[in-house]
Amino acid sequence: MPLISHAFFGGIPFPQQVEQKSLTAAKPLEDFSPSTLVLSMRQGLGEICTPTVEPGQPVLVGQVVGESSQGIQPPVHCGVSGRVIAVEPRPSADGEEVLSVVVENDRRNLPAPLLPEMTVHEPASHWIARMREAGLIGMGGAGFPTWKKYGAPAIDTVLVNGCECEPYLTCDHRVMLQRTDRVISGALALGRAAGVSPRQIIFCVETNKPDAAHRLKKAAEHAGMSLISLPDRYPEGGERQLIQAVLGREIPLGGLPADVGAVVSNVATAAAMGDAVMGIPLTHRAVTVSGQVSRPANLWVPVGTLFSDLLRYCGGENAPNPAPPAFWQEGKTCRMIAGGPMTGRLLERLDVPITKATSGLTVLPPQAWEEQNCIRCGACARVCPSRLMPFAIDAAVVAGKMPVCQDYGAVECISCGCCSYVRPARRFLATRVTLARNTLRRQMSAVKK
Amino acid sequence: MKPVLSQSAPHIRRGRTTTHIMLDVLIALVPASIAAVWNFGIRAVWLLAVTTLSCAITQWFCLLLRRQGEFDASALVSGVLLALSLPAGTSLWAAALAGAFSIALIKEAFGGIGHNLLNPAMAARGLLLAAFPAALTGYIRPDAVSSATPLSAVDGPVNLDGWLPMFTGFENGSMGETSVLMILVGGVYLYFKGAIRLRMPVTCLGAFSAVIWIFGGSYGWFTGPVVPHLLSGGLMLGAFFMITDFTTKPTTFWGELVFAAGVGILTAVLRLWGPYPEGVCFAILLMNLAAPLLEYLTRARVYGMKNLLGGIRPLKRAH
């Protein structure tokens, strides 16, 4: 498999002991269905859906339980059959309370009627409509509604992202291995929605997953698509980095991938599209539970499963190693991260549900860092994929100088966390640069209005 | 500062900390220090001890006054570097004063590690050179004969057979300047530890050699005695340990190259036409002052932007 000549700037090739993918890479997806499901009405970016069911009402697998009034956010489907026991605000992984539909699982898996199966000759608009109907959002983490991406004009390339560069996570790896046919049919469907031929659909897989790459390459080439092997380098799977690495194009400030004629979808999204073609809405996803747990695993679970159920199914957390520092709160042992360690969110409580965009639960030993003075070693600038100078932005944020942050291009931060990872002085760089980016973006959108 | 639990991503960090880097630099300075002790005997031990202690005590005192920051190995690095950049015969009180000056006024007064504008060791040496030149004249040989640095003697045609003693260190000069071999050993260690990248020393030495070669000869242009110039004085110590100091150099690729080349050229110019036989110290101090501007002017192009002489503009949207 040839390595590509383009490369994105910066990034970190994680050593294996940091990446820790071997904990779960060889573990097949296990079916797990919890006794209760909490379906958050906010699954990804965009508005909050309105519940379409009442407490006490029976629900079926694949039934719509929430729909958006504005129509940007796709509907939410239930992944189990049973009875709605509550429609109320519940805590979410973001730390806020979000209106949720709570479903009790009767474990009978009674299916709702499926959507009609798609046929090859339907126009692109039908495929895009199906993405919305089936509830597809970006399953790589950002949770952008998929149909919005594909509606853009002048798309010439569809990149199917199987890089999974985030440490610990292996759920996409397992999806590529175990749901290859769905990934392939889904990718073809994504191509039809974007109006491109199969030749313009490129699978992107990192070299650290040779088995998945091999399997997918054979299947993709059989269907007229191609697969490209990318070096194992975080954040290879970032949308912008992937486009830069494969196509050599840079997205201009404030733009979307569609501005440079490309659209990127995760392999998990492609697999969900493969289901959607057959009329099955997005109700389940693969998640990785890894790190300091007794039994690290890849699970196939309904969306809305609580993190506490995932942890219990995997045998609970291990005793923290090394022992927690003295200031650590009582009763708190390991850090629970929704997603991977580089971009995931620290969970304050475990009784919150996974969403369509949650790729796993990473349990990390307790650790705290002491901020020291920056020594200007420049390591953060060398790994920044946006070629920012995080240490300079950090200093400007501390000094409260937003115009300086703008001058240093802080809006282009992608929050990959590379700067904080390498920094010897242990400063919370990524946190502050992300803060600067968000402040600047708010200012920019305020100016536009 | 108390340890803080990071609430936001990333939740893992590389193990390498500032202290690791400082310890690496200290380890890299061990060969040069051993060479100094080998050449100058107990006198070198005293000088190393005095400057290092002076730096450490001053930092401890400053941190007490500032009520923030914590003791780190960077003061020890400054102390050892200062000792190595002084002649072995320097009076000990002057060395102690220079160490205190470098930490108190050059480093801590600007905000401590990472905030200093000038290289502390070089600034302290500059102070001694300007304020107490008499204290610095004690260049001694292993046989304790006091004489000037060989730099004052390389004006005429030079017998190149004499370069080997300069390389291995049995020649006059400041303590750490004498053994190029030992400095190279330390530099290579730092390179393999990832603390420095070779482009800076190479650019510095290259630019220096070019200027010396072109203008340094007694028989017209392009006849300059490059090798003795390269091997003498504080150039090697400067190229591997001083200009690669993170805090006082630009962090950008082109900034580093311009900075290193600037040091090389200025050193050569000061050596050829300056009032002192040695120019490394003032060359580095001058370029230290230019570093913030160099860094600003040579910033990398931000993703999705284009550079306009230090400023940035967004790329045009395609659609």
Side-chain angles (χ1 to χ4, degrees):
Chain A
M1 278 172 279
L3 290 179
I4 40 99
S5 56
H6 299 294
F8 68 93
F9 186 85
I12 305 168
F14 282 125
Q16 282 212 327
Q17 67 269 26
V18 173
E19 216 166 31
Q20 293 287 358
K21 295 212 186 234
S22 54
L23 280 177
T24 51
K27 305 238 170 113
L29 290 170
E30 294 172 43
D31 278 309
F32 168 59
S33 191
S35 51
T36 13
L37 222 53
V38 178
L39 287 150
S40 169
M41 289 295 105
R42 188 177 61 198
Q43 290 290 334
L45 292 176
E47 73 275 12
I48 296 181
C49 295
T50 321
T52 54
V53 288
E54 307 267 313
Q57 187 182 331
V59 285
L60 302 169
V61 178
Q63 184 178 336
V64 174
V65 294
E67 222 161 8
S68 152
S69 50
Q70 292 165 43
I72 294 174
Q73 188 68 27
V76 183
H77 301 82
C78 183
V80 297
S81 67
R83 200 169 56 86
V84 178
I85 50 175
V87 177
E88 60 189 18
R90 284 288 181 107
S92 73
D94 305 342
E96 291 171 32
E97 297 224 324
V98 181
L99 189 59
S100 308
V101 172
V102 186
V103 178
E104 194 182 36
N105 187 359
D106 65 4
R107 304 208 178 267
R108 285 193 292 175
N109 280 327
L110 300 173
L114 296 180
L115 298 163
E117 204 164 315
M118 303 283 292
T119 54
V120 181
H121 303 292
E122 288 181 65
S125 60
H126 285 201
W127 296 93
I128 291 173
R130 173 54 61 92
M131 289 175 175
R132 215 185 78 74
E133 284 169 343
L136 258 62
I137 64 170
M139 292 169 81
F144 194 82
T146 307
W147 72 275
K148 284 285 279 183
K149 283 187 190 175
Y150 285 83
I155 290 172
D156 59 29
T157 313
V158 174
L159 299 178
V160 185
N161 182 357
C163 289
E164 197 166 55
C165 52
E166 180 91 23
Y168 288 90
L169 301 183
T170 52
C171 54
D172 288 353
H173 184 179
R174 295 315 304 182
V175 166
M176 285 188 276
L177 275 177
Q178 290 179 248
R179 288 169 56 79
T180 319
D181 51 335
R182 293 297 160 87
V183 173
I184 296 294
S185 64
L188 288 170
L190 293 177
R192 292 197 188 97
V196 303
S197 73
R199 281 216 333 268
Q200 292 156 297
I201 303 171
I202 305 171
F203 286 90
C204 312
V205 184
E206 273 189 359
T207 45
N208 61 358
K209 297 179 265 292
D211 49 348
H214 180 72
R215 198 180 157 92
L216 206 54
K217 189 182 173 75
K218 264 200 331 211
E221 282 173 359
H222 186 69
M225 299 180 283
S226 57
L227 182 139
I228 194 162
S229 268
L230 294 162
D232 178 15
R233 191 175 185 88
Y234 178 87
E236 188 79 73
E239 195 169 64
R240 293 158 162 238
Q241 280 58 52
L242 196 63
I243 292 173
Q244 194 177 11
V246 178
L247 303 172
R249 303 175 191 166
E250 280 187 29
I251 302 165
L253 172 71
L256 291 171
D259 291 334
V260 291
V263 60
V264 181
S265 277
N266 194 273
V267 280
T269 317
M273 187 65 192
D275 281 340
V277 172
M278 301 166 68
I280 307 165
L282 168 49
T283 57
H284 286 63
R285 69 155 298 146
V287 292
T288 302
V289 182
S290 188
Q292 304 263 322
V293 291
S294 343
R295 203 171 61 80
N298 296 300
L299 305 179
W300 181 249
V301 295
V303 171
T305 304
L306 297 179
F307 281 107
S308 49
D309 288 334
L310 291 180
L311 190 62
R312 203 172 307 128
Y313 183 78
C314 291
E317 65 196 271
N318 286 343
N321 177 33
F327 72 93
W328 205 255
Q329 283 162 282
E330 290 271 326
K332 228 179 170 184
T333 46
C334 283
R335 290 175 297 159
M336 306 289 168
I337 316 289
M342 290 303 283
T343 55
R345 186 181 275 273
L346 185 75
L347 291 171
E348 292 187 352
R349 48 199 296 180
L350 280 180
D351 57 344
V352 295
I354 65 160
T355 65
K356 293 174 187 173
T358 307
S359 39
L361 171 67
T362 310
V363 182
L364 296 176
Q367 210 168 357
W369 292 286
E370 198 173 346
E371 284 202 286
Q372 298 165 343
N373 273 0
C374 167
I375 56 167
R376 288 172 40 85
C377 62
C380 54
R382 284 194 293 279
V383 298
C384 178
S386 297
R387 292 196 212 93
L388 302 176
M389 302 208 304
F391 68 93
I393 298 171
D394 174 60
V397 170
V398 170
K401 290 178 178 160
M402 273 303 142
V404 178
C405 297
Q406 185 160 24
D407 189 35
Y408 277 107
V411 276
E412 288 294 337
C413 171
I414 59 163
S415 295
C416 63
C418 287
C419 47
S420 283
Y421 175 79
V422 295
R423 187 158 207 191
R426 296 280 172 266
R427 294 185 73 87
F428 298 151
L429 273 182
T431 314
R432 294 212 188 85
V433 179
T434 308
L435 177 79
R437 176 197 66 181
N438 294 346
T439 312
L440 288 171
R441 286 206 178 146
R442 268 202 301 280
Q443 282 174 5
M444 279 163 64
S445 57
V447 168
K448 260 184 215 161
K449 279 169 196 163
Chain B
M1 250 182 271
K2 265 170 70 180
V4 182
L5 169 65
S6 172
Q7 293 286 338
S8 54
H11 305 283
I12 50 174
R13 306 287 165 101
R14 191 166 62 166
R16 197 170 161 79
T17 65
T18 306
T19 316
H20 288 126
I21 296 178
M22 291 304 159
L23 287 179
D24 273 347
V25 179
L26 276 181
I27 292 170
L29 285 170
V30 166
S33 305
I34 290 174
V37 173
W38 180 268
N39 284 340
F40 301 106
I42 192 72
R43 183 77 192 168
V45 178
W46 277 115
L47 197 57
L48 276 164
V50 163
T51 54
T52 313
L53 266 179
S54 159
C55 285
I57 291 171
T58 314
Q59 193 189 25
W60 173 78
F61 188 64
C62 288
L63 292 176
L64 213 64
L65 284 181
R66 289 177 59 214
R67 291 191 188 83
Q68 56 169 304
E70 62 187 64
F71 185 82
D72 52 54
S74 69
L76 304 181
V77 172
S78 297
V80 175
L81 277 175
L82 174 61
L84 292 182
S85 67
L86 293 175
T90 308
S91 53
L92 294 180
W93 65 265
L97 182 76
F101 166 81
S102 73
I103 296 297
L105 285 182
I106 300 298
K107 201 180 235 172
E108 295 296 330
F110 281 84
I113 179 174
H115 291 297
N116 47 313
L117 198 55
L118 298 176
N119 186 316
M122 285 288 99
R125 190 193 143 99
L127 171 88
L128 289 187
L129 213 53
F132 309 102
L136 275 184
T137 48
Y139 289 98
I140 48 174
R141 291 188 66 109
D143 56 9
V145 176
S146 192
S147 71
T149 176
L151 270 176
S152 16
V154 291
D155 272 349
V158 173
N159 177 12
L160 286 185
D161 296 342
W163 68 269
L164 192 64
M166 294 168 96
F167 185 71
T168 50
F170 299 101
E171 194 50 79
N172 281 338
S174 297
M175 295 216 311
E177 300 172 356
T178 50
S179 175
V180 170
L181 177 68
M182 288 304 169
I183 290 170
L184 284 180
V185 168
V188 167
Y189 173 79
L190 280 188
Y191 170 72
F192 281 110
K193 278 288 182 175
I196 65 171
R197 281 169 305 285
L198 286 183
R199 59 172 175 259
M200 287 192 77
V202 167
T203 312
C204 176
L205 299 177
F208 173 83
S209 310
V211 176
I212 291 289
W213 182 55
I214 297 173
F215 300 108
S218 314
Y219 308 115
W221 289 13
F222 303 105
T223 61
V226 171
V227 175
H229 263 291
L230 267 183
L231 297 183
S232 60
L235 186 66
M236 284 294 169
L237 191 68
F240 282 93
F241 289 95
M242 303 292 188
I243 67 170
T244 53
D245 170 30
F246 294 142
T247 306
T248 53
K249 73 172 177 62
T251 58
T252 56
F253 179 84
W254 288 108
E256 280 184 348
L257 293 192
V258 173
F259 178 86
V263 170
I265 293 169
L266 277 176
T267 304
V269 167
L270 288 172
R271 273 194 190 178
L272 293 178
W273 297 295
Y276 299 102
E278 175 59 300
V280 178
C281 170
F282 290 117
I284 291 177
L285 289 177
L286 281 171
M287 290 312 288
N288 281 168
L289 292 175
L293 183 66
L294 282 178
E295 176 172 292
Y296 187 79
L297 289 178
T298 55
R299 287 184 300 168
R301 192 178 63 79
V302 173
Y303 178 98
M305 304 268 197
K306 61 181 175 188
N307 271 23
L308 276 178
L309 197 63
I312 48 172
R313 293 283 177 279
L315 290 177
K316 283 235 167 61
R317 302 273 290 262
H319 301 292

